[in-house]
Amino acid sequence: MDLIQNSALHQNGSSLAALSEKDVLLISYGNSIESVGEAPLQTLQRFLDDWLPEISHLHILPFFPFSSDDGFSVIDYLMIDPALGRWEDIRRLGKSRALMFDFVLNHISRESVWFADFVANHPPGKDYFIELPEDTDVSQVVRPRSQPLLAPIYTRRGVRHVWATFSPDQIDLNYGNPEVLLAMVRIFIIYLEQGASLMRLDAVAFLWKQLGTQCIHLPQTHEVVKLLRTLSEYLRPGSLIITETNVPHQENLSYFGDGDEAHLVYQFTLPPLILYTMNRGNADLLTNWAQSLAPPPPGCIFLNFTASHDGIGLRALEGILPNHEVSSLIEAMQQFGGYVSMRANPDGTDSPYEINITYFDAMMGTRRGPDQWQVDRFLCAQTLMLVLQGLPAFYIHSLLGTPNDQRGVEVTGRLRSINRKRWSLQELIPLLEKTATPQSQVHHELRRRIGLRQSLPAFSPEAPQKVYDLDSHLFIVQRGEGEDMVICVFNVAPQDVALSLVKLLHSDTLGAVDLLTRQHHAASKELELMPYQCMWLMPVEDDTTYL
C-alpha cells in the first residue's frame, strides 16, 4: 500500500468518456525524424507543432535504452535513451497532447541489470526468469517467431536455458514470482507519474507461462490486465489501458474482458483486410466482416489502424481468408518490394506471420501489378480507416507517404527496418513543401480529411455504425444518425463505379452533399465514383447547399 499512498499523480489524463471526433493518435519512434544538433524528441515536438497540430494523442514507441528490436528489448525501464533526449522532453511533449507509453512487461534485455543478476546468481534477478532443462517439451507453446523458445545462456552455474518468446536477446520475465509482478507494478506507476495517459501493454498475451498449455491468453494474464486497469483508474483517473495482442480476431476481443480489462484493443484485422481489399479491388470480404463485427462492451472501443512499427500481421486473417489467398497477397507484396516474416507452429512447421512493407508502397498496385493509382489508393485506405467506429491511429510514415526503406534493411539485416525509416528533417520538409511529391500529396490531403473529421459528431468513437452491401467495388459505412449522419462511400477498385443515391439514402431527401468536395448531388442522379474516390455524404432535406 505504501507504493500507492506515496504516489502523487497528475489528474489531467485522457478519458474514454472524453474521447470525441476530435481525437486522433499518432504512432512514432522518438527518432523517426532527426535534425542535426538537436535531440530527436525535441525535433519530433517541433515537427508535430508545425506540421501535425491536429494530433491529439501521441504514442511514442519505446524511448528507453535498448539492445535490440528498435527499443523493445529494454535495458533500463526508467531511463530515457540519451540518444533521444531526457524525461523533460517527454513531459514537454505531453503538455499539448495525451501520451501513450509502451509498458514492455513480457520481457527484458539480456543486457539489463536484472539479467546480469541471473547470470551471476545474485538476487533479485536470479529468480526473475524462467529456467528449464534443455530437453523440456515446449512444442505446445504458441510462438510469434521461428527460432527456438529456450535460449542457451552462459552463467556462473554453467549453461542454462531460459524462456525467450521473441529472441535470445529478449528474455521473458517470470510472473510466477510475485516479486516480479511487484517490481513491474512500481514501474507502471512511475510511468503514470511521468505523464502517461494511455498505457500500451506490449505482447501481453504471452505473459503467463504454464507448461502443458499454449502459454497464451491464460487466465492469470487476464488477471494481470485487470490489476493494471484497476491501478491506473485509481491512481490516474481517466488514464486508459490498451492491449497489444496480434492474434486472431476472437482471441483479440477477449482482452476487453467483461468491460473490466482493456479500454482499447487494437483492431488487428484492419491492416491486412484493407490491404487485401485494395489489392483485389473487391470490398465483399471487408463488408461481410464489418457487418458481422460485434460492438465492444460498454466503455470499450477499438483502436483502428492500418500501419504500425511492425509489419502487417497475418494472424488476424485466420478463419477469414483462405491460405491460398494469403499466399497470393504475399506474392503481390513481394512484387512491390516487401518481405514476409515467419513464425513457428506446434507441429514444427513455419507459417507466414507478417508482411514487411510500408503501407504506402503496399498500395503501389493491385494483383495485376503496379499502376498509376498509388496515391489515390493509399488515401482511400487511410480514409476508410479514419471513419470507422473507434479511435483512429496513424503511423507517422503513413502521414508522410514514406516508401520502402530498403537501405535500412541492408544496414540492420532486419526485415522490419523496411518500415522504420528515419527521416532527416532537412530532407523531409522540402518534400512536404513541394506540391508534386507523393509525400506532400499524402500529408496535406490526410491532414485536411482529419481536420474535417474533427468537425463532425458522426465520427465520435462510439457513434453508431452501419455497413451497407450494395456493390462489390464499394465499401459503404454510415456513421451517426439523425441530422449528424454521414454516409461514407469508398470505391476500392481501379475503375469508375456508379451508385444510385436513392437506393443508398432510402428516403425522400433532395440529395446529399459530399463533405470532402462540398459538391451537391441530387437524389435523382447516380453517383459516379472515380477509381479510389471517397465520398462523405450528408443528406439534405431542402435546397440549401451545405458549405
Side-chain angles (χ1 to χ4, degrees):
M1 285 298 295
D2 290 342
L3 197 63
I4 295 176
Q5 291 170 348
N6 293 336
S7 180
L9 299 180
H10 306 293
Q11 300 300 316
N12 60 347
S14 180
S15 166
L16 194 61
L19 290 178
S20 74
E21 64 276 5
K22 299 184 182 300
D23 293 305
V24 177
L25 183 138
L26 178 74
I27 306 165
S28 178
Y29 280 103
N31 59 358
S32 290
I33 302 175
E34 299 176 317
S35 182
V36 177
E38 184 175 45
L41 287 171
Q42 296 174 12
T43 303
L44 178 62
Q45 172 161 350
R46 190 154 57 92
F47 181 81
L48 295 182
D49 291 345
D50 294 343
W51 289 90
L52 285 171
E54 299 84 359
I55 296 301
S56 62
H57 292 65
L58 173 63
H59 172 199
I60 315 174
L61 290 156
F63 41 77
F64 317 105
F66 67 96
S67 54
S68 65
D69 199 18
D70 290 332
F72 285 92
S73 186
V74 179
I75 294 175
D76 189 327
Y77 288 110
L78 299 180
M79 281 186 62
I80 301 295
D81 185 347
L84 296 178
R86 302 177 297 172
W87 272 114
E88 179 183 344
D89 299 316
I90 297 292
R91 290 190 290 270
R92 189 180 297 115
L93 275 163
K95 287 183 178 179
S96 54
R97 56 193 66 84
L99 296 183
M100 181 193 293
F101 286 13
D102 273 291
F103 188 36
V104 186
L105 71 169
N106 178 72
H107 49 265
I108 194 171
S109 169
R110 67 189 296 167
E111 296 184 18
S112 64
V113 171
W114 288 352
F115 198 69
D117 285 345
F118 173 82
V119 171
N121 200 31
H122 289 161
K126 73 182 184 69
D127 298 317
Y128 276 19
F129 304 93
I130 301 170
E131 179 184 327
L132 294 171
E134 181 181 7
D135 59 355
T136 302
D137 181 6
V138 292
S139 60
Q140 291 187 53
V141 177
V142 171
R143 302 295 315 291
R145 300 289 185 269
S146 57
Q147 78 276 349
L149 175 66
L150 300 179
I153 303 294
Y154 292 91
T155 75
R156 290 187 178 180
R157 296 170 291 129
V159 176
R160 294 292 188 267
H161 290 81
V162 296
W163 198 296
T165 297
F166 291 91
S167 80
D169 186 56
Q170 296 165 290
I171 313 301
D172 288 44
L173 292 163
N174 178 18
Y175 280 85
N177 177 357
E179 292 300 320
V180 169
L181 177 60
L182 185 59
M184 295 304 288
V185 164
R186 288 192 181 99
I187 292 165
F188 181 86
I189 292 173
I190 290 171
Y191 288 176
L192 293 175
E193 290 176 332
Q194 293 298 331
S197 297
L198 299 90
M199 202 76 81
R200 177 183 182 270
L201 307 187
D202 177 66
V204 68
F206 304 97
L207 194 70
W208 198 273
K209 283 75 175 176
Q210 183 176 327
L211 288 177
T213 74
Q214 293 184 327
C215 298
I216 188 171
H217 315 313
L218 294 182
Q220 296 92 331
T221 294
H222 286 280
E223 290 302 320
V224 171
V225 176
K226 291 177 185 178
L227 170 65
L228 296 177
R229 173 164 174 159
T230 299
L231 285 171
S232 68
E233 291 180 341
Y234 177 75
L235 293 170
R236 183 166 183 166
S239 59
L240 304 175
I241 297 293
I242 178 168
T243 48
E244 188 262 334
T245 52
N246 189 359
V247 293
H249 182 69
Q250 288 304 127
E251 297 177 35
N252 191 28
L253 294 182
S254 70
Y255 286 88
F256 283 133
D258 293 323
D260 57 354
E261 294 187 37
H263 298 93
L264 297 98
V265 163
Y266 282 86
Q267 186 54 280
F268 275 107
T269 308
L270 274 183
L273 193 52
I274 290 179
L275 174 61
Y276 176 81
T277 298
M278 297 297 171
N279 190 259
R280 295 307 190 256
N282 186 299
D284 287 342
L285 196 64
L286 179 62
T287 296
N288 292 339
W289 172 80
Q291 287 182 328
S292 68
L293 192 62
C300 300
I301 61 172
F302 287 112
L303 183 77
N304 297 319
F305 72 113
T306 60
S308 72
H309 62 289
D310 288 338
I312 301 169
L314 296 171
R315 290 219 61 199
L317 292 180
E318 293 176 15
I320 297 176
L321 198 63
N323 288 338
H324 72 274
E325 289 283 11
V326 174
S327 298
S328 179
L329 183 62
I330 289 171
E331 291 174 5
M333 294 304 103
Q334 290 172 328
Q335 185 182 2
F336 301 156
Y339 305 96
V340 61
S341 297
M342 309 297 286
R343 71 179 183 92
N345 299 313
D347 62 3
T349 63
D350 289 345
S351 59
Y353 179 68
E354 67 180 18
I355 299 171
N356 301 111
I357 192 171
T358 67
Y359 217 80
F360 180 68
D361 272 359
M363 297 291 149
M364 191 180 296
T366 67
R367 64 195 308 172
R368 297 178 177 85
D371 59 27
Q372 75 272 33
W373 299 109
Q374 182 174 8
V375 170
D376 299 275
R377 184 182 293 113
F378 180 73
L379 288 171
C380 181
Q382 300 308 297
T383 309
L384 195 160
M385 178 277 293
L386 183 64
V387 306
L388 294 177
Q389 191 177 56
L391 176 67
F394 288 93
Y395 187 35
I396 192 167
H397 292 302
S398 293
L399 289 174
L400 300 177
T402 305
N404 292 333
D405 186 9
Q406 298 290 359
R407 175 62 177 164
V409 176
E410 294 171 5
V411 170
T412 66
R414 298 191 299 270
L415 300 183
R416 283 180 168 177
S417 296
I418 197 171
N419 191 32
R420 298 179 178 179
K421 180 179 174 65
R422 297 182 186 179
W423 280 103
S424 160
L425 188 66
Q426 291 71 26
E427 172 193 12
L428 178 60
I429 296 302
L431 292 175
L432 297 180
E433 290 177 336
K434 296 176 182 177
T435 58
T437 67
Q439 288 71 39
S440 177
Q441 293 169 2
V442 165
H443 179 78
H444 290 288
E445 184 58 22
L446 284 180
R447 279 188 63 186
R448 187 181 76 86
R449 296 182 186 189
I450 289 171
L452 179 58
R453 178 193 191 273
Q454 291 175 323
S455 69
L456 299 169
F459 296 123
S460 178
E462 295 182 278
Q465 173 171 298
K466 179 181 179 181
V467 177
Y468 295 81
D469 186 3
L470 298 179
D471 190 293
S472 292
H473 298 307
L474 301 177
F475 180 77
I476 305 171
V477 57
Q478 174 186 314
R479 293 299 313 280
E481 53 193 1
E483 62 181 16
D484 292 330
M485 181 179 71
V486 177
I487 301 177
C488 304
V489 184
F490 302 89
N491 180 5
V492 303
Q495 66 259 8
D496 293 349
V497 177
L499 175 66
S500 166
L501 192 54
V502 171
K503 185 177 180 181
L504 177 64
L505 296 178
H506 295 293
S507 71
D508 296 327
T509 61
L510 292 177
V513 173
D514 179 6
L515 302 180
L516 290 175
T517 63
R518 298 191 176 186
Q519 182 177 0
H520 186 281
H521 297 275
S524 59
K525 296 183 179 180
E526 280 195 329
L527 297 175
E528 292 286 343
L529 285 91
M530 295 183 296
Y532 305 106
Q533 184 176 353
C534 312
M535 289 185 175
W536 291 0
L537 299 171
M538 177 173 282
V540 292
E541 302 292 341
D542 53 41
D543 291 323
T544 303
T545 300
Y546 179 90
L547 293 178

